[in-house]
Tab-separated table of all heavy atoms in Angstrom:
chain	number	residue	atom	x	y	z
A	6	MET	N	0.823	-1.187	0.000
A	6	MET	CA	0.001	0.002	-0.007
A	6	MET	C	0.871	1.250	0.006
A	6	MET	O	1.929	1.260	0.573
A	6	MET	CB	-0.921	-0.024	1.211
A	6	MET	CG	-2.114	-0.920	0.985
A	6	MET	SD	-3.006	-1.274	2.454
A	6	MET	CE	-2.433	-2.924	2.757
A	7	GLY	N	0.361	2.279	-0.627
A	7	GLY	CA	1.107	3.519	-0.718
A	7	GLY	C	0.549	4.584	0.164
A	7	GLY	O	-0.434	4.405	0.874
A	8	ARG	N	1.245	5.721	0.086
A	8	ARG	CA	0.834	6.904	0.854
A	8	ARG	C	1.548	8.090	0.280
A	8	ARG	O	2.685	7.959	-0.170
A	8	ARG	CB	1.190	6.693	2.344
A	8	ARG	CG	0.825	7.822	3.236
A	8	ARG	CD	1.019	7.453	4.694
A	8	ARG	NE	2.400	7.268	5.082
A	8	ARG	CZ	3.229	8.229	5.490
A	8	ARG	NH1	2.789	9.470	5.559
A	8	ARG	NH2	4.444	7.959	5.844
A	9	ILE	N	0.914	9.260	0.288
A	9	ILE	CA	1.571	10.476	-0.171
A	9	ILE	C	1.576	11.532	0.919
A	9	ILE	O	0.799	11.465	1.860
A	9	ILE	CB	0.910	11.033	-1.436
A	9	ILE	CG1	-0.506	11.534	-1.154
A	9	ILE	CG2	0.922	10.022	-2.578
A	9	ILE	CD1	-1.136	12.328	-2.288
A	10	VAL	N	2.484	12.478	0.762
A	10	VAL	CA	2.556	13.631	1.661
A	10	VAL	C	2.474	14.883	0.800
A	10	VAL	O	3.249	15.028	-0.151
A	10	VAL	CB	3.862	13.626	2.493
A	10	VAL	CG1	3.959	14.902	3.329
A	10	VAL	CG2	3.943	12.389	3.345
A	11	ILE	N	1.535	15.746	1.111
A	11	ILE	CA	1.334	16.986	0.366
A	11	ILE	C	1.790	18.147	1.221
A	11	ILE	O	1.371	18.312	2.361
A	11	ILE	CB	-0.128	17.181	-0.034
A	11	ILE	CG1	-0.603	16.001	-0.911
A	11	ILE	CG2	-0.333	18.518	-0.754
A	11	ILE	CD1	-2.099	16.023	-1.193
A	12	ASN	N	2.659	18.993	0.658
A	12	ASN	CA	3.087	20.227	1.310
A	12	ASN	C	2.007	21.280	1.059
A	12	ASN	O	1.946	21.841	-0.042
A	12	ASN	CB	4.432	20.678	0.793
A	12	ASN	CG	4.956	21.911	1.460
A	12	ASN	OD1	4.181	22.727	1.973
A	12	ASN	ND2	6.257	22.083	1.466
A	13	LYS	N	1.156	21.509	2.014
A	13	LYS	CA	-0.003	22.381	1.808
A	13	LYS	C	0.382	23.807	1.454
A	13	LYS	O	-0.367	24.508	0.767
A	13	LYS	CB	-0.926	22.365	3.032
A	13	LYS	CG	-0.377	23.035	4.244
A	13	LYS	CD	-1.388	22.985	5.387
A	13	LYS	CE	-0.866	23.758	6.589
A	13	LYS	NZ	-1.834	23.736	7.672
A	14	ASP	N	1.532	24.259	1.878
A	14	ASP	CA	1.930	25.629	1.591
A	14	ASP	C	2.563	25.804	0.203
A	14	ASP	O	2.762	26.936	-0.244
A	14	ASP	CB	2.879	26.161	2.667
A	14	ASP	CG	2.123	26.418	3.974
A	14	ASP	OD1	0.947	26.834	3.911
A	14	ASP	OD2	2.703	26.187	5.037
A	15	ARG	N	2.827	24.709	-0.499
A	15	ARG	CA	3.288	24.805	-1.886
A	15	ARG	C	2.124	24.652	-2.844
A	15	ARG	O	2.241	24.983	-4.020
A	15	ARG	CB	4.318	23.714	-2.188
A	15	ARG	CG	5.632	23.924	-1.468
A	15	ARG	CD	6.643	23.011	-2.026
A	15	ARG	NE	7.022	23.527	-3.341
A	15	ARG	CZ	8.269	23.486	-3.805
A	15	ARG	NH1	9.207	22.938	-3.128
A	15	ARG	NH2	8.532	23.973	-4.979
A	16	CYS	N	1.012	24.155	-2.363
A	16	CYS	CA	-0.143	23.854	-3.207
A	16	CYS	C	-0.942	25.110	-3.508
A	16	CYS	O	-1.257	25.890	-2.616
A	16	CYS	CB	-1.042	22.836	-2.513
A	16	CYS	SG	-2.511	22.413	-3.440
A	17	LYS	N	-1.266	25.313	-4.789
A	17	LYS	CA	-2.084	26.461	-5.178
A	17	LYS	C	-3.541	26.075	-5.416
A	17	LYS	O	-4.353	26.909	-5.825
A	17	LYS	CB	-1.501	27.160	-6.401
A	17	LYS	CG	-1.538	26.314	-7.651
A	17	LYS	CD	-0.884	27.057	-8.821
A	17	LYS	CE	-0.843	26.159	-10.036
A	17	LYS	NZ	0.066	26.662	-11.055
A	18	GLY	N	-3.872	24.803	-5.209
A	18	GLY	CA	-5.260	24.358	-5.315
A	18	GLY	C	-5.764	24.203	-6.741
A	18	GLY	O	-6.948	24.353	-6.989
A	19	CYS	N	-4.887	23.904	-7.676
A	19	CYS	CA	-5.292	23.814	-9.076
A	19	CYS	C	-6.148	22.572	-9.378
A	19	CYS	O	-6.901	22.574	-10.337
A	19	CYS	CB	-4.076	23.829	-9.986
A	19	CYS	SG	-2.996	22.378	-9.876
A	20	GLY	N	-6.008	21.519	-8.573
A	20	GLY	CA	-6.822	20.322	-8.733
A	20	GLY	C	-6.275	19.325	-9.739
A	20	GLY	O	-6.945	18.306	-9.987
A	21	ILE	N	-5.148	19.569	-10.337
A	21	ILE	CA	-4.603	18.630	-11.326
A	21	ILE	C	-4.349	17.271	-10.690
A	21	ILE	O	-4.641	16.229	-11.286
A	21	ILE	CB	-3.337	19.207	-11.974
A	21	ILE	CG1	-3.690	20.440	-12.812
A	21	ILE	CG2	-2.656	18.162	-12.855
A	21	ILE	CD1	-2.513	21.199	-13.388
A	22	CYS	N	-3.823	17.256	-9.470
A	22	CYS	CA	-3.549	15.984	-8.789
A	22	CYS	C	-4.837	15.226	-8.496
A	22	CYS	O	-4.870	13.989	-8.507
A	22	CYS	CB	-2.743	16.202	-7.522
A	22	CYS	SG	-3.593	17.224	-6.296
A	23	ILE	N	-5.906	15.969	-8.219
A	23	ILE	CA	-7.184	15.339	-7.942
A	23	ILE	C	-7.678	14.570	-9.160
A	23	ILE	O	-8.108	13.429	-9.073
A	23	ILE	CB	-8.231	16.420	-7.533
A	23	ILE	CG1	-7.826	17.035	-6.196
A	23	ILE	CG2	-9.617	15.813	-7.451
A	23	ILE	CD1	-8.609	18.255	-5.810
A	24	ASP	N	-7.526	15.201	-10.333
A	24	ASP	CA	-7.920	14.524	-11.586
A	24	ASP	C	-6.974	13.360	-11.930
A	24	ASP	O	-7.407	12.394	-12.550
A	24	ASP	CB	-7.920	15.513	-12.738
A	24	ASP	CG	-9.009	16.573	-12.602
A	24	ASP	OD1	-10.021	16.294	-11.917
A	24	ASP	OD2	-8.845	17.672	-13.164
A	25	ALA	N	-5.711	13.479	-11.546
A	25	ALA	CA	-4.732	12.448	-11.891
A	25	ALA	C	-4.818	11.194	-11.044
A	25	ALA	O	-4.407	10.109	-11.474
A	25	ALA	CB	-3.316	13.039	-11.788
A	26	CYS	N	-5.359	11.304	-9.832
A	26	CYS	CA	-5.415	10.144	-8.931
A	26	CYS	C	-6.446	9.116	-9.394
A	26	CYS	O	-7.644	9.398	-9.407
A	26	CYS	CB	-5.753	10.602	-7.497
A	26	CYS	SG	-5.800	9.211	-6.332
A	27	PRO	N	-5.985	7.910	-9.770
A	27	PRO	CA	-6.925	6.894	-10.265
A	27	PRO	C	-7.837	6.327	-9.174
A	27	PRO	O	-8.847	5.700	-9.467
A	27	PRO	CB	-6.023	5.809	-10.851
A	27	PRO	CG	-4.725	5.960	-10.119
A	27	PRO	CD	-4.605	7.438	-9.812
A	28	LYS	N	-7.486	6.543	-7.922
A	28	LYS	CA	-8.271	6.010	-6.813
A	28	LYS	C	-9.120	7.078	-6.111
A	28	LYS	O	-9.774	6.805	-5.126
A	28	LYS	CB	-7.342	5.379	-5.754
A	28	LYS	CG	-6.473	4.276	-6.284
A	28	LYS	CD	-7.284	3.026	-6.546
A	28	LYS	CE	-6.353	1.886	-6.939
A	28	LYS	NZ	-7.064	0.656	-7.103
A	29	ASP	N	-9.090	8.317	-6.625
A	29	ASP	CA	-9.871	9.436	-6.059
A	29	ASP	C	-9.575	9.641	-4.560
A	29	ASP	O	-10.494	9.737	-3.747
A	29	ASP	CB	-11.353	9.242	-6.270
A	29	ASP	CG	-11.751	9.241	-7.740
A	29	ASP	OD1	-11.161	10.045	-8.476
A	29	ASP	OD2	-12.604	8.450	-8.132
A	30	LEU	N	-8.281	9.766	-4.223
A	30	LEU	CA	-7.871	9.862	-2.840
A	30	LEU	C	-7.440	11.262	-2.455
A	30	LEU	O	-6.919	11.491	-1.360
A	30	LEU	CB	-6.753	8.877	-2.557
A	30	LEU	CG	-7.088	7.416	-2.805
A	30	LEU	CD1	-5.863	6.546	-2.607
A	30	LEU	CD2	-8.230	6.954	-1.939
A	31	ILE	N	-7.620	12.225	-3.343
A	31	ILE	CA	-7.210	13.615	-3.082
A	31	ILE	C	-8.405	14.521	-3.260
A	31	ILE	O	-9.149	14.398	-4.235
A	31	ILE	CB	-6.048	14.039	-4.003
A	31	ILE	CG1	-4.885	13.063	-3.885
A	31	ILE	CG2	-5.593	15.452	-3.665
A	31	ILE	CD1	-3.787	13.274	-4.900
A	32	ILE	N	-8.602	15.421	-2.307
A	32	ILE	CA	-9.694	16.383	-2.368
A	32	ILE	C	-9.124	17.775	-2.100
A	32	ILE	O	-7.995	17.921	-1.629
A	32	ILE	CB	-10.800	16.068	-1.340
A	32	ILE	CG1	-10.230	16.126	0.087
A	32	ILE	CG2	-11.438	14.709	-1.621
A	32	ILE	CD1	-11.312	16.058	1.177
A	33	LEU	N	-9.928	18.804	-2.341
A	33	LEU	CA	-9.525	20.148	-1.907
A	33	LEU	C	-10.021	20.349	-0.483
A	33	LEU	O	-11.176	20.113	-0.155
A	33	LEU	CB	-10.143	21.218	-2.811
A	33	LEU	CG	-9.412	21.544	-4.084
A	33	LEU	CD1	-10.103	22.691	-4.826
A	33	LEU	CD2	-7.954	21.870	-3.876
A	34	SER	N	-9.122	20.781	0.357
A	34	SER	CA	-9.427	21.031	1.751
A	34	SER	C	-10.334	22.247	1.882
A	34	SER	O	-10.285	23.173	1.085
A	34	SER	CB	-8.136	21.266	2.516
A	34	SER	OG	-8.403	21.655	3.843
A	35	ASP	N	-11.140	22.237	2.928
A	35	ASP	CA	-11.941	23.427	3.259
A	35	ASP	C	-11.065	24.480	3.969
A	35	ASP	O	-11.427	25.654	4.004
A	35	ASP	CB	-13.083	23.044	4.179
A	35	ASP	CG	-14.145	22.208	3.479
A	35	ASP	OD1	-14.269	22.342	2.253
A	35	ASP	OD2	-14.831	21.426	4.164
A	36	ASP	N	-9.921	24.043	4.471
A	36	ASP	CA	-8.995	24.943	5.153
A	36	ASP	C	-8.151	25.694	4.133
A	36	ASP	O	-8.034	25.301	2.976
A	36	ASP	CB	-8.078	24.163	6.087
A	36	ASP	CG	-8.858	23.451	7.198
A	36	ASP	OD1	-9.888	24.009	7.631
A	36	ASP	OD2	-8.429	22.349	7.580
A	37	LEU	N	-7.544	26.794	4.577
A	37	LEU	CA	-6.701	27.612	3.699
A	37	LEU	C	-5.235	27.483	4.140
A	37	LEU	O	-4.935	27.363	5.330
A	37	LEU	CB	-7.123	29.054	3.753
A	37	LEU	CG	-8.552	29.355	3.347
A	37	LEU	CD1	-8.883	30.817	3.584
A	37	LEU	CD2	-8.815	28.973	1.921
A	38	ASN	N	-4.333	27.576	3.191
A	38	ASN	CA	-2.904	27.591	3.513
A	38	ASN	C	-2.450	29.036	3.753
A	38	ASN	O	-3.259	29.956	3.761
A	38	ASN	CB	-2.077	26.890	2.436
A	38	ASN	CG	-2.154	27.542	1.084
A	38	ASN	OD1	-2.628	28.666	0.942
A	38	ASN	ND2	-1.694	26.846	0.063
A	39	LYS	N	-1.153	29.235	3.896
A	39	LYS	CA	-0.654	30.563	4.218
A	39	LYS	C	-0.845	31.567	3.090
A	39	LYS	O	-0.740	32.762	3.304
A	39	LYS	CB	0.808	30.502	4.648
A	39	LYS	CG	1.791	30.136	3.555
A	39	LYS	CD	3.196	30.119	4.106
A	39	LYS	CE	4.235	29.814	3.019
A	39	LYS	NZ	5.572	29.807	3.560
A	40	TYR	N	-1.144	31.087	1.884
A	40	TYR	CA	-1.417	31.958	0.738
A	40	TYR	C	-2.924	32.178	0.544
A	40	TYR	O	-3.353	32.666	-0.470
A	40	TYR	CB	-0.762	31.427	-0.528
A	40	TYR	CG	0.713	31.314	-0.395
A	40	TYR	CD1	1.329	30.074	-0.295
A	40	TYR	CD2	1.504	32.464	-0.354
A	40	TYR	CE1	2.709	29.978	-0.169
A	40	TYR	CE2	2.872	32.373	-0.207
A	40	TYR	CZ	3.474	31.117	-0.120
A	40	TYR	OH	4.835	31.036	0.019
A	41	ASN	N	-3.725	31.734	1.532
A	41	ASN	CA	-5.157	31.910	1.513
A	41	ASN	C	-5.815	31.110	0.374
A	41	ASN	O	-6.756	31.582	-0.258
A	41	ASN	CB	-5.524	33.400	1.411
A	41	ASN	CG	-6.802	33.696	2.164
A	41	ASN	OD1	-7.182	32.959	3.063
A	41	ASN	ND2	-7.444	34.776	1.791
A	42	THR	N	-5.283	29.914	0.109
A	42	THR	CA	-5.759	29.064	-0.964
A	42	THR	C	-6.207	27.724	-0.379
A	42	THR	O	-5.542	27.173	0.501
A	42	THR	CB	-4.602	28.787	-1.967
A	42	THR	OG1	-4.160	30.043	-2.487
A	42	THR	CG2	-5.049	27.931	-3.104
A	43	ASN	N	-7.279	27.178	-0.864
A	43	ASN	CA	-7.684	25.821	-0.508
A	43	ASN	C	-6.659	24.865	-1.140
A	43	ASN	O	-6.409	24.949	-2.339
A	43	ASN	CB	-9.083	25.485	-1.050
A	43	ASN	CG	-10.128	26.350	-0.412
A	43	ASN	OD1	-10.478	27.380	-0.969
A	43	ASN	ND2	-10.634	25.965	0.731
A	44	TYR	N	-6.087	24.018	-0.359
A	44	TYR	CA	-5.010	23.153	-0.826
A	44	TYR	C	-5.498	21.691	-0.967
A	44	TYR	O	-6.517	21.321	-0.440
A	44	TYR	CB	-3.823	23.214	0.124
A	44	TYR	CG	-4.177	22.886	1.560
A	44	TYR	CD1	-4.139	21.579	2.033
A	44	TYR	CD2	-4.579	23.905	2.446
A	44	TYR	CE1	-4.479	21.286	3.352
A	44	TYR	CE2	-4.915	23.609	3.744
A	44	TYR	CZ	-4.868	22.295	4.191
A	44	TYR	OH	-5.199	22.011	5.502
A	45	ALA	N	-4.736	20.920	-1.722
A	45	ALA	CA	-5.063	19.510	-1.908
A	45	ALA	C	-4.800	18.757	-0.602
A	45	ALA	O	-3.837	19.035	0.099
A	45	ALA	CB	-4.219	18.931	-3.030
A	46	LYS	N	-5.682	17.820	-0.326
A	46	LYS	CA	-5.589	17.046	0.911
A	46	LYS	C	-5.741	15.572	0.570
A	46	LYS	O	-6.644	15.179	-0.160
A	46	LYS	CB	-6.706	17.488	1.848
A	46	LYS	CG	-6.729	16.791	3.180
A	46	LYS	CD	-7.862	17.346	4.029
A	46	LYS	CE	-7.972	16.610	5.326
A	46	LYS	NZ	-9.084	17.144	6.149
A	47	TYR	N	-4.843	14.770	1.104
A	47	TYR	CA	-4.853	13.303	0.887
A	47	TYR	C	-5.801	12.660	1.902
A	47	TYR	O	-5.670	12.871	3.082
A	47	TYR	CB	-3.425	12.790	1.069
A	47	TYR	CG	-3.259	11.305	1.035
A	47	TYR	CD1	-3.519	10.588	-0.089
A	47	TYR	CD2	-2.771	10.645	2.165
A	47	TYR	CE1	-3.320	9.205	-0.110
A	47	TYR	CE2	-2.567	9.276	2.152
A	47	TYR	CZ	-2.866	8.556	1.022
A	47	TYR	OH	-2.667	7.222	1.000
A	48	VAL	N	-6.746	11.905	1.402
A	48	VAL	CA	-7.713	11.202	2.266
A	48	VAL	C	-7.795	9.733	1.828
A	48	VAL	O	-8.333	9.413	0.784
A	48	VAL	CB	-9.128	11.853	2.221
A	48	VAL	CG1	-9.125	13.185	2.915
A	48	VAL	CG2	-9.629	12.022	0.817
A	49	ASP	N	-7.205	8.881	2.642
A	49	ASP	CA	-7.165	7.462	2.284
A	49	ASP	C	-7.413	6.638	3.540
A	49	ASP	O	-6.520	5.941	4.030
A	49	ASP	CB	-5.829	7.122	1.648
A	49	ASP	CG	-5.762	5.706	1.096
A	49	ASP	OD1	-6.832	5.035	1.013
A	49	ASP	OD2	-4.679	5.248	0.748
A	50	ASN	N	-8.617	6.661	4.061
A	50	ASN	CA	-8.940	5.924	5.254
A	50	ASN	C	-8.949	4.412	5.051
A	50	ASN	O	-8.774	3.659	6.006
A	50	ASN	CB	-10.313	6.375	5.797
A	50	ASN	CG	-10.303	7.826	6.198
A	50	ASN	OD1	-9.258	8.370	6.606
A	50	ASN	ND2	-11.420	8.484	6.070
A	51	GLU	N	-9.137	3.983	3.811
A	51	GLU	CA	-9.211	2.563	3.526
A	51	GLU	C	-7.909	2.013	2.939
A	51	GLU	O	-7.867	0.875	2.467
A	51	GLU	CB	-10.377	2.301	2.584
A	51	GLU	CG	-11.705	2.691	3.191
A	51	GLU	CD	-12.856	2.500	2.222
A	51	GLU	OE1	-12.727	1.720	1.272
A	51	GLU	OE2	-13.887	3.168	2.430
A	52	GLN	N	-6.878	2.805	2.902
A	52	GLN	CA	-5.547	2.419	2.407
A	52	GLN	C	-5.628	1.846	0.972
A	52	GLN	O	-5.136	0.753	0.711
A	52	GLN	CB	-4.867	1.444	3.367
A	52	GLN	CG	-4.647	2.053	4.728
A	52	GLN	CD	-3.950	1.120	5.692
A	52	GLN	OE1	-3.938	-0.095	5.499
A	52	GLN	NE2	-3.393	1.673	6.730
A	53	LYS	N	-6.198	2.635	0.089
A	53	LYS	CA	-6.338	2.223	-1.313
A	53	LYS	C	-5.186	2.711	-2.195
A	53	LYS	O	-5.032	2.247	-3.330
A	53	LYS	CB	-7.633	2.778	-1.894
A	53	LYS	CG	-8.885	2.155	-1.298
A	53	LYS	CD	-10.131	2.738	-1.977
A	53	LYS	CE	-11.389	2.155	-1.423
A	53	LYS	NZ	-12.576	2.735	-2.089
A	54	CYS	N	-4.371	3.631	-1.698
A	54	CYS	CA	-3.253	4.177	-2.484
A	54	CYS	C	-2.264	3.069	-2.865
A	54	CYS	O	-1.881	2.274	-2.005
A	54	CYS	CB	-2.536	5.298	-1.713
A	54	CYS	SG	-1.158	6.026	-2.595
A	55	VAL	N	-1.894	3.046	-4.135
A	55	VAL	CA	-0.938	2.031	-4.611
A	55	VAL	C	0.439	2.630	-4.858
A	55	VAL	O	1.350	1.940	-5.292
A	55	VAL	CB	-1.458	1.323	-5.866
A	55	VAL	CG1	-2.706	0.522	-5.557
A	55	VAL	CG2	-1.712	2.310	-6.984
A	56	GLY	N	0.586	3.937	-4.616
A	56	GLY	CA	1.870	4.598	-4.802
A	56	GLY	C	2.254	4.759	-6.275
A	56	GLY	O	3.435	4.727	-6.612
A	57	CYS	N	1.285	4.971	-7.139
A	57	CYS	CA	1.533	5.059	-8.575
A	57	CYS	C	2.279	6.331	-8.992
A	57	CYS	O	2.832	6.400	-10.070
A	57	CYS	CB	0.230	4.936	-9.359
A	57	CYS	SG	-0.901	6.345	-9.168
A	58	GLN	N	2.252	7.335	-8.157
A	58	GLN	CA	2.912	8.613	-8.371
A	58	GLN	C	2.283	9.495	-9.419
A	58	GLN	O	2.869	10.502	-9.831
A	58	GLN	CB	4.413	8.419	-8.682
A	58	GLN	CG	5.144	7.691	-7.605
A	58	GLN	CD	6.601	7.555	-7.934
A	58	GLN	OE1	7.178	8.389	-8.619
A	58	GLN	NE2	7.235	6.494	-7.431
A	59	MET	N	1.126	9.158	-9.901
A	59	MET	CA	0.476	9.987	-10.934
A	59	MET	C	0.174	11.392	-10.410
A	59	MET	O	0.310	12.381	-11.129
A	59	MET	CB	-0.818	9.329	-11.421
A	59	MET	CG	-0.621	8.028	-12.174
A	59	MET	SD	0.448	8.194	-13.614
A	59	MET	CE	-0.559	9.227	-14.652
A	60	CYS	N	-0.182	11.495	-9.129
A	60	CYS	CA	-0.443	12.797	-8.542
A	60	CYS	C	0.814	13.654	-8.498
A	60	CYS	O	0.809	14.821	-8.861
A	60	CYS	CB	-1.038	12.636	-7.152
A	60	CYS	SG	-0.018	11.680	-6.014
A	61	ALA	N	1.902	13.032	-8.052
A	61	ALA	CA	3.168	13.772	-7.919
A	61	ALA	C	3.703	14.189	-9.293
A	61	ALA	O	4.225	15.292	-9.465
A	61	ALA	CB	4.192	12.911	-7.184
A	62	LYS	N	3.580	13.318	-10.275
A	62	LYS	CA	4.061	13.618	-11.621
A	62	LYS	C	3.256	14.732	-12.277
A	62	LYS	O	3.776	15.480	-13.100
A	62	LYS	CB	4.008	12.360	-12.501
A	62	LYS	CG	5.028	11.346	-12.102
A	62	LYS	CD	4.856	10.075	-12.914
A	62	LYS	CE	5.834	9.004	-12.444
A	62	LYS	NZ	5.633	7.739	-13.166
A	63	SER	N	1.992	14.869	-11.898
A	63	SER	CA	1.140	15.888	-12.518
A	63	SER	C	1.199	17.234	-11.842
A	63	SER	O	0.781	18.223	-12.418
A	63	SER	CB	-0.293	15.387	-12.531
A	63	SER	OG	-0.821	15.353	-11.231
A	64	CYS	N	1.734	17.317	-10.628
A	64	CYS	CA	1.716	18.552	-9.839
A	64	CYS	C	2.712	19.579	-10.393
A	64	CYS	O	3.921	19.352	-10.344
A	64	CYS	CB	2.038	18.245	-8.370
A	64	CYS	SG	2.040	19.768	-7.355
A	65	PRO	N	2.224	20.722	-10.887
A	65	PRO	CA	3.133	21.722	-11.434
A	65	PRO	C	3.940	22.472	-10.366
A	65	PRO	O	4.952	23.125	-10.685
A	65	PRO	CB	2.184	22.688	-12.153
A	65	PRO	CG	0.881	22.550	-11.465
A	65	PRO	CD	0.816	21.118	-11.013
A	66	ASP	N	3.542	22.380	-9.111
A	66	ASP	CA	4.225	23.110	-8.032
A	66	ASP	C	5.077	22.212	-7.125
A	66	ASP	O	5.594	22.679	-6.122
A	66	ASP	CB	3.180	23.850	-7.185
A	66	ASP	CG	2.430	24.841	-8.005
A	66	ASP	OD1	3.079	25.650	-8.711
A	66	ASP	OD2	1.183	24.819	-7.971
A	67	ILE	N	5.180	20.961	-7.495
A	67	ILE	CA	5.939	19.968	-6.710
A	67	ILE	C	5.491	20.002	-5.248
A	67	ILE	O	6.274	19.982	-4.317
A	67	ILE	CB	7.459	20.173	-6.846
A	67	ILE	CG1	7.825	20.368	-8.322
A	67	ILE	CG2	8.212	18.973	-6.300
A	67	ILE	CD1	9.259	20.801	-8.561
A	68	ALA	N	4.179	20.075	-5.050
A	68	ALA	CA	3.609	20.130	-3.702
A	68	ALA	C	3.493	18.738	-3.080
A	68	ALA	O	3.384	18.618	-1.866
A	68	ALA	CB	2.259	20.799	-3.722
A	69	ILE	N	3.490	17.710	-3.900
A	69	ILE	CA	3.431	16.340	-3.387
A	69	ILE	C	4.880	15.903	-3.212
A	69	ILE	O	5.580	15.551	-4.159
A	69	ILE	CB	2.640	15.409	-4.334
A	69	ILE	CG1	1.218	15.972	-4.431
A	69	ILE	CG2	2.645	13.983	-3.805
A	69	ILE	CD1	0.375	15.375	-5.488
A	70	CYS	N	5.356	16.002	-1.981
A	70	CYS	CA	6.776	15.894	-1.718
A	70	CYS	C	7.243	14.475	-1.410
A	70	CYS	O	8.435	14.220	-1.483
A	70	CYS	CB	7.185	16.851	-0.614
A	70	CYS	SG	6.185	16.775	0.857
A	71	LYS	N	6.327	13.583	-1.065
A	71	LYS	CA	6.755	12.213	-0.790
A	71	LYS	C	5.668	11.241	-1.244
A	71	LYS	O	4.472	11.492	-1.052
A	71	LYS	CB	6.999	11.998	0.696
A	71	LYS	CG	8.202	12.744	1.198
A	71	LYS	CD	8.600	12.296	2.568
A	71	LYS	CE	9.761	13.172	3.006
A	71	LYS	NZ	10.512	12.672	4.069
A	72	VAL	N	6.106	10.182	-1.873
A	72	VAL	CA	5.216	9.099	-2.228
A	72	VAL	C	5.819	7.816	-1.694
A	72	VAL	O	6.958	7.496	-1.980
A	72	VAL	CB	5.048	8.981	-3.776
A	72	VAL	CG1	4.161	7.805	-4.130
A	72	VAL	CG2	4.484	10.267	-4.342
A	73	TYR	N	5.070	7.135	-0.879
A	73	TYR	CA	5.533	5.875	-0.309
A	73	TYR	C	4.811	4.711	-1.024
A	73	TYR	O	3.641	4.816	-1.307
A	73	TYR	CB	5.214	5.786	1.193
A	73	TYR	CG	5.884	6.861	1.977
A	73	TYR	CD1	5.209	8.048	2.297
A	73	TYR	CD2	7.185	6.705	2.442
A	73	TYR	CE1	5.841	9.032	3.052
A	73	TYR	CE2	7.790	7.689	3.192
A	73	TYR	CZ	7.131	8.852	3.478
A	73	TYR	OH	7.735	9.833	4.214
A	74	ARG	N	5.562	3.653	-1.300
A	74	ARG	CA	4.944	2.489	-1.945
A	74	ARG	C	4.903	1.346	-0.977
A	74	ARG	O	5.644	1.145	-0.127
A	74	ARG	CB	5.772	2.051	-3.138
A	74	ARG	CG	5.661	3.034	-4.265
A	74	ARG	CD	6.368	2.463	-5.446
A	74	ARG	NE	6.545	3.527	-6.424
A	74	ARG	CZ	7.049	3.334	-7.587
A	74	ARG	NH1	7.421	2.139	-7.956
A	74	ARG	NH2	7.196	4.304	-8.425
């Protein structure tokens, strides 16, 4: 099983990673980061992440800083 870590302060909330995740494990947070932007949030309560890295590869801001497989 995989897991990702998102740096919320690098995220601009573009949603590209949300579209890229084949398991739909990323959402936009209701909270704001230091730039007053809703940031991407990893939600995987059922441990469905396979560590495919599609989210990290698609992120233009390199906000997904770690992918564990």
Side-chain angles (χ1 to χ4, degrees):
M6 281 167 256
R8 180 171 67 87
I9 66 170
V10 175
I11 300 173
N12 181 334
K13 70 179 184 179
D14 288 325
R15 291 192 75 143
C16 180
K17 65 182 177 196
C19 67
I21 294 173
C22 62
I23 294 170
D24 293 335
C26 180
K28 302 287 186 176
D29 296 321
L30 301 175
I31 305 172
I32 62 170
L33 276 184
S34 174
D35 291 333
D36 298 326
L37 302 175
N38 62 13
K39 68 180 183 179
Y40 299 109
N41 214 23
T42 301
N43 296 94
Y44 55 90
K46 181 178 176 181
Y47 173 65
V48 289
D49 188 11
N50 298 330
E51 298 176 23
Q52 299 181 341
K53 292 182 180 180
C54 180
V55 295
C57 69
Q58 301 182 29
M59 293 302 294
C60 57
K62 290 176 183 176
S63 69
C64 180
D66 299 310
I67 313 170
I69 300 169
C70 50
K71 292 192 183 198
V72 178
Y73 298 96
R74 291 186 193 184

